[in-house]
Amino acid sequence: MSSSKEYFNDRAVELSQARWRKATRSTGANTGCVEVAANLPDVTAVRDSTRPEGGAHVVSREAFAAFLSDVKAGRYSL
């Protein structure tokens, strides 16, 4: 089992209380999805829904908000 902590800017972020949300479009045969936990203080965590024990990427709320804005604006080829 993996640790319930990840690190962001050299500080430990406790993930045991994270509420993970999976995209609503990730049902049926669409198994390659991510889960996002936005209920953590000051940060957002992202992990692979098929390998939740593999850890998470932790980024600032501002960085995640900027990423979502770019996605919605079509700045990435998805």
Side-chain angles (χ1 to χ4, degrees):
M1 177 175 249
S2 69
S3 168
S4 64
K5 291 184 182 179
E6 293 293 338
Y7 289 85
F8 175 74
N9 288 344
D10 294 329
R11 100 176 142 90
V13 176
E14 180 61 51
L15 297 179
S16 63
Q17 298 301 311
R19 287 192 309 268
W20 296 100
R21 295 181 57 210
K22 193 185 313 188
T24 56
R25 293 185 182 178
S26 87
T27 58
N30 194 6
T31 58
C33 248
V34 297
E35 293 177 313
V36 175
N39 68 307
L40 303 166
D42 306 317
V43 297
T44 298
V46 181
R47 70 181 182 183
D48 180 345
S49 66
T50 63
R51 291 187 52 237
E53 72 285 351
H57 295 284
V58 180
V59 298
S60 70
R61 287 189 185 278
E62 295 82 11
F64 193 72
F67 170 71
L68 287 181
S69 178
D70 286 348
V71 168
K72 291 175 183 178
R75 291 192 173 90
Y76 301 102
S77 175
L78 301 174

